[in-house]
Amino acid sequence: MAGNSQRRNRRTSNKKGATVGSGGQRRRGLEGKGPTPPAHMRKGHKKNRVANAQAKHAARRPAPRRGGPKGPNELVVGRNSVVEALREGVPANTLYVQQFVDSDERVREALQLATEKGLNLMEAPRPELDRMTNGLNHQGLVLSVPPYDYAHPEDLSAAALDDGEDPLIVALDGITDPRNLGAVVRSVSAFGGHGVVVPERRAAGMTASAWKTSAGTAARTPVARATNMTRTLEAYQKEGLMVVGLAADGDVELHELDILDGPVVIVVGSEGKGLSRLVGETCDYRVRIPMPGGAESLNAGVAAGVVLYEAARRRAQR
């Protein structure tokens, strides 16, 4: 009996304890860790540090303001104007066609182009089109163009620096003709510039007329809008850009200026008044374009084109 009691006690007291082992660690240690991550994701690698620096730079950069509140859609009115806008790729969204309109070659071409571009086609009675256009002679065709999506001035220089290039920007001071703006956009695109800055008030904006004059280059050349042009130029200076104002009474002739192959903002004033006082005082250089022919001044598009060509020529020689 005593022996049986001892055996029972041994069985009941000999409870199974924790098993000493690897806990599966050895097996997992033998498993592969997958493919080696790319260099920019490996902590401590040079490319990882560069990627982190770029991310911090992007985080510090202000988000694109895109010109603030949106205004109403612009309306292009009349058969010739509508067809020309569609030919030039003006970014429209809707073509309104008068009910029972007398169709001719221009109407047919407008409908064909609008269909090819995927625009909305809306048929409307004549009184409705009269109301939309405030009684203008629309000839049965009205094209609706949404407000232009402006960039922020700092985005222009940041994009150039991100691409490893010295910024080349044109700022317009007091230019009120949208065709001049379109011509400048076209020149900036042709000579490798990084964008155009215009004032928010009392200045030409990117209307359908400006878009047409740009010959489609506005699709790839950003236009930024500045709340205060003087402060915008000062901000560019803090980034290391030189500000060059074009003036008939400038202190330096264009061929004498030796900074055009670096980061620069070219400021163009109106043909009649030139640069405003505050903008002129902000410029690092006031430059004149020699004109042996005796002309008093050049319009904004021509003047910007001359200086942009000279800047592109010097940059190509570096």
Side-chain angles (χ1 to χ4, degrees), residues 168 244-261 264-268 285-292 298 302-314:
L168 178 58
V244 176
L246 303 187
D249 59 349
D251 304 319
V252 183
E253 288 198 352
L254 179 60
H255 67 275
E256 299 172 342
L257 191 65
D258 59 0
I259 62 167
L260 289 177
D261 58 347
V264 66
V265 182
I266 301 165
V267 188
V268 184
Y285 295 90
R286 288 168 55 88
V287 178
R288 63 182 183 274
I289 300 174
M291 289 180 285
L298 301 172
V302 175
V306 170
V307 183
L308 285 166
Y309 165 77
E310 182 65 14
R313 184 184 69 82
R314 297 191 190 183

Side-chain angles (χ1 to χ4, degrees), residues 5 20 33 36 48 55 60 71 76 95 197 199 206 255 286 292-293 316:
S5 175
V20 177
K33 297 182 179 179
T36 302
N48 178 257
R60 287 196 302 268
V76 179
L95 175 63
V197 182
M206 280 304 297
H255 67 275
R286 288 168 55 88

Side-chain angles (χ1 to χ4, degrees), residues 66 148-152 155-156 159 168-172 181-198 206 210-211 214-225 308:
R66 299 303 176 196
Y148 182 77
D149 197 13
Y150 291 95
H152 189 282
D155 291 339
L156 307 187
L168 178 58
I169 299 168
V170 174
L172 301 183
L181 171 56
V184 170
V185 170
R186 188 172 183 177
S187 294
V188 169
S189 177
F191 295 114
H194 298 101
V196 179
V197 182
V198 298
M206 280 304 297
W211 190 283
S214 78
T217 58
R220 57 181 182 272
T221 302
V223 176
R225 193 158 55 177
L308 285 166

